[in-house]
Structure formats: structure tokens, C-alpha cells
Amino acid sequence: QHPSQTLLDLYTIRARRGRLDNLKIAFVGDLKYSRTVHSLIETLTHFDNEIFLISPPTLRMPPEFIEELDARGTAWREDEDFFAVAIDVDILYTTRIQQERFPDAVEYEKVKNAYRIDRASIERIGGNVTVMHPLPRLNEISRDLDDYPGSAYFDQARTGAEALAATEKKTFDVIVLDLNLPGMTGLDVAAAVEKSSRPHPHIVVVTGCGGAQEWRDLRGLGVDAMLLKPFNAEQLLVAVEQATR
């Protein structure tokens, strides 16, 4: 899994499309070994999206992830033909085919150039598509897409670099508290935050009946974000944004 890349991908999707659900998302390339693809797809099962899986037969999505899609009721389709599946998708997420994953060099040579996305490909599938890639790339994305308005892969990389720079200058504590425990109150939440005695912004994850009074207590201590369980990935992104401003 690759949770840090998934957070950056979710941020990019929301920034580009304005939402994390009701999207048609096509994944292209190495779906067997790509940790970024596995992590993002698993997260997207928590939202109402339609997933398209495009890869050579030898690099198909592992069965356990297909089972996860089915268990979550996520609509999905699998095909080897890029143009049969990718028509009018909202997001095209492509990955490099990783030579280091292949024990047999001959097998890698057979699939290394299976897909190459260029400006003509994007114009053919139509629609207002967002093109994503975790980088680095090989031949799977043509340089003529670099100035395409829908290309978001440099944004993905830039967001990652900015996030890394931010963590070097500013960090935040994540405190998990259970208000279902006997006697636990908003004052206990505030006390736990105060005990951390670190000059960092805080994200507090509260299980149970958190409310306005708890939030007032926390804001008085300089806490920047509070999450009430259960929460989804989008709410987590908002909390991280609030805590790192």
C-alpha cells in the first residue's frame, strides 16, 4: 500500500474535479504490482465511483482487490483495450510498467510499451479528462500531454513536494480519544491536548459523542481540527488542510 501517495491523489482529484464521488476513473498499466493503484482503489471503494481497469492480461488487478470492489458494491469493468473502456472517463490514472517487478526480462519486454497515452489518445476518448500519474514516467505518457490543461501529474508531484516542505517546518499531533469511555467528557479531551505540551497544531480524532462544547474547549487550546468517528477520506483531507495552514 502507499497511503501517502493516496492522500496526494485524493487532494488532486478533489482540486481538479471538485469532489471525490460520482466519477468515472480509469486505471491504466501495471495494475498487478502498482502500490499506488492498489491503495487509491481501495480508498475509492468508500465513495460512489465507477472504476475501469485497463491492463495486459499478465498485469491485471489482483483478485483480492476485485473482491474488495465487489464487497463494497463498486461498479467496475476490466478490459485490455484502452479505447473500449476509457471513453468519456473523468480521470485517467496511468502508471509505469515496473521492470524491477519482473523476474523474467522477456516477459517485461512483451508488455513494457503496452500503453502510450498522447494528445491524440485523449482527443479520441473525448470529454474533459484529468490525466494523473504518480511519476516517474517512462514511455506511457507522451511529452505532448505536459501542456494539456487536464494533465495533473505535475500538480501531484508539486503537492507532494510542498507537503514534504511543510512537514519540515510545521508538524501536527494526532490525538485519538474515546468519549464512550465511562466518565470521559469534553474537559478530558481538552486536558489530553494540553498534556501534549507541544507547540504544534493538533488534529483530534474523537470516537463517540463529540459536540459543540468539546470543540469550544479544543479551540481554546489552539487545536485546529477535530474529526468525529466515523469519518471519510475527504473529511480527513479537510482536517489536515486546517491543521497545516
Side-chain angles (χ1 to χ4, degrees), residues 39-53:
S39 189
L40 182 55
I41 282 184
E42 191 169 41
T43 303
L44 289 172
T45 62
H46 295 274
F47 302 90
D48 184 16
N49 295 302
E50 189 172 358
I51 304 296
F52 300 89
L53 306 172

